[in-house]
Amino acid sequence: MPDQTDAFLHHPELREQIVDPLGSFFRDFDVEAMIDKHPELESARDWIHPQDERDSLRARTLAEHDSGDLWVFAFGSLMWDPAFHFAEVRRATVPGYSRHFILLDVHGGRGTKEAPGLMAALDRGGSCEGLAFRIRAEDVDTETEILWRREMIGPGYVPTYVTADLDGQSQTTLTFVADHAAEAINLTLTRADQIHLIANGAGILGSSKAYLANIVNHFETLGIVDSDCTALLQEVEDYLAAQ
């Protein structure tokens, strides 16, 4: 694929909607340093992946990739705040997977053990609209290290290569799929459970409700339609109004 100097060539409307990686909070994110700074998060230390384990998993995942550019499929906050440098962004659809609110947070990010929070994960079934980012081959090692520190904090996701549709063209992309073996993934949640968790979960990164609202607001500006997220946010707001 020929290189280009403008990452937003195909979607200039996204230029003001995506955080500059150099200005991203997650560019220098370090979960161990965050725990050191916030003693109330100490209980999470036994849950997080040690750095050497995280590095080993990244190496094994990248070993399945050729030496060329790497595409990354984003289905949540990575869409507007990827934190890694990218050479190209495209609207993308991944068949066979969809966005589900099944990722529990009890470790202090957007929920605690006393009041767990809930976030989105990619799971099998249906299809999912999102964005695909292309990382240049020479930047893959540096930029995926940043990606791993953010997405692979602890058990919850499995790095997975999926086929994405980019304007009618098939492209293998790396994404992060729900790990059914992880305690953080709960497939038994009812809609009422989801509403309660999102309405009440909060932590050092903010509330679960703010996370969902941010998704819905950015989907609107990115032109991505997810009626389930929109309906879920309304149900959370109705739930809170009734309290």
Side-chain angles (χ1 to χ4, degrees):
M1 179 180 293
D3 203 358
Q4 58 191 45
T5 57
D6 183 5
F8 298 95
L9 177 66
H10 296 283
H11 297 288
E13 72 278 10
L14 299 181
R15 194 182 307 277
E16 302 302 321
Q17 307 300 333
I18 297 176
V19 175
D20 185 333
L22 292 179
S24 172
F25 165 81
F26 292 103
R27 182 73 185 172
D28 300 314
F29 178 73
D30 184 324
V31 66
E32 289 88 352
M34 179 172 284
I35 293 174
D36 290 340
K37 184 177 180 181
H38 298 277
E40 68 271 24
L41 302 180
E42 184 61 36
S43 62
R45 199 178 294 275
D46 292 335
W47 168 73
I48 64 175
H49 287 308
Q51 185 62 48
D52 57 349
E53 182 177 332
R54 196 178 300 130
D55 289 342
S56 177
L57 177 58
R58 183 169 68 96
R60 292 197 304 271
T61 302
L62 293 180
E64 301 177 35
H65 171 66
D66 59 28
S67 58
D69 294 356
L70 175 70
W71 286 87
V72 177
F73 177 71
F75 57 88
S77 59
L78 278 181
M79 288 193 294
W80 55 85
D81 189 7
F84 56 80
H85 290 295
F86 56 92
E88 183 178 0
V89 58
R90 301 284 292 272
R91 286 285 300 274
T93 302
V94 172
Y97 293 87
S98 53
R99 193 180 292 107
H100 295 285
F101 279 80
I102 54 176
L103 180 63
L104 286 170
D105 184 356
V106 300
H107 298 291
R110 293 187 182 273
T112 63
K113 289 183 178 179
E114 295 74 25
L118 193 65
M119 294 180 290
L122 193 67
D123 203 12
R124 294 187 180 277
S127 65
C128 185
E129 279 196 87
L131 297 180
F133 296 93
R134 178 170 61 87
I135 302 175
R136 291 188 178 91
E138 61 268 28
D139 297 329
V140 166
D141 185 57
T142 299
E143 301 307 309
T144 56
E145 197 276 331
I146 291 166
L147 178 63
W148 243 251
R149 279 194 276 114
R150 174 180 179 171
E151 295 299 289
M152 297 302 295
I153 296 173
Y157 289 137
V158 177
T160 305
Y161 291 97
V162 299
T163 300
D165 183 298
L166 278 59
D167 299 323
Q169 297 181 331
S170 293
Q171 178 64 54
T172 298
T173 64
L174 172 67
T175 193
F176 297 88
V177 174
D179 181 0
H180 289 189
E183 290 185 7
I185 297 297
N186 190 323
L187 304 176
T188 67
L189 296 175
T190 65
R191 187 68 161 191
D193 292 333
Q194 292 175 322
I195 293 169
H196 176 81
L197 291 165
I198 294 170
N200 293 285
I204 198 167
L205 297 179
S207 70
S208 292
K209 178 180 179 291
Y211 169 84
L212 173 57
N214 205 27
I215 285 179
V216 172
N217 291 337
H218 278 85
F219 279 1
E220 291 176 357
T221 59
L222 295 172
I224 291 173
V225 177
D226 191 311
S227 57
D228 183 63
C229 284
T230 302
L232 182 57
L233 177 60
Q234 184 61 58
E235 290 168 41
V236 170
E237 291 176 340
D238 292 343
Y239 171 91
L240 289 170
Q243 299 305 300

